[in-house]
Amino acid sequence: MGAELLGREPGERASLVQFSSAFCQPCRATRRILAEVAEMVDGVEHIEIDAEKNLELVRALGIEKTPTVLVLDAAGRIVRRAAGMPRKADVIAALGAAV
């Protein structure tokens, strides 16, 4: 997945892609967690995608609920996927598979 699908440039080493919806309470907490992890690790970007405005992409990726987080490696390949609010430690561990 590159910039054309993500809406902005992915991270040099990895990207944390979050699919969210406007009224999703866990999405707000997930946003904070992913932003904190992205700040801690050089070359990692947090990219949030509005699921409601990107239904074609949501369907293509089989996203069924928000939040859903995809961990992409430097080449844009999905190396981890999780639905629901993640724990910070789990996000850091998942990044290990991408960098």
Side-chain angles (χ1 to χ4, degrees):
M1 294 176 63
E4 66 283 346
L5 286 178
L6 298 174
R8 60 182 261 212
E9 286 298 316
E12 285 179 25
R13 297 176 63 202
S15 299
L16 300 170
V17 179
Q18 174 184 349
F19 286 85
S20 299
S21 54
F23 299 103
C24 166
Q25 288 290 1
C27 293
R28 293 180 186 137
T30 299
R31 179 183 307 123
R32 283 191 304 275
I33 291 166
L34 298 182
E36 287 174 13
V37 172
E39 284 184 28
M40 291 171 35
V41 184
D42 288 338
V44 173
E45 290 291 327
H46 170 228
I47 300 169
E48 188 169 4
I49 296 175
D50 185 326
E52 296 166 9
K53 292 180 181 175
N54 294 280
L55 288 176
E56 199 171 302
L57 181 59
V58 165
R59 288 183 184 117
L61 294 172
I63 305 295
E64 296 180 0
K65 66 183 267 187
T66 57
T68 292
V69 178
L70 306 178
V71 180
L72 308 181
D73 65 12
R77 291 182 299 257
I78 299 170
V79 295
R80 291 283 188 274
R81 175 188 186 114
M85 190 177 78
R87 294 179 331 151
K88 192 175 197 177
D90 293 335
V91 174
I92 294 168
L95 270 178
V99 294

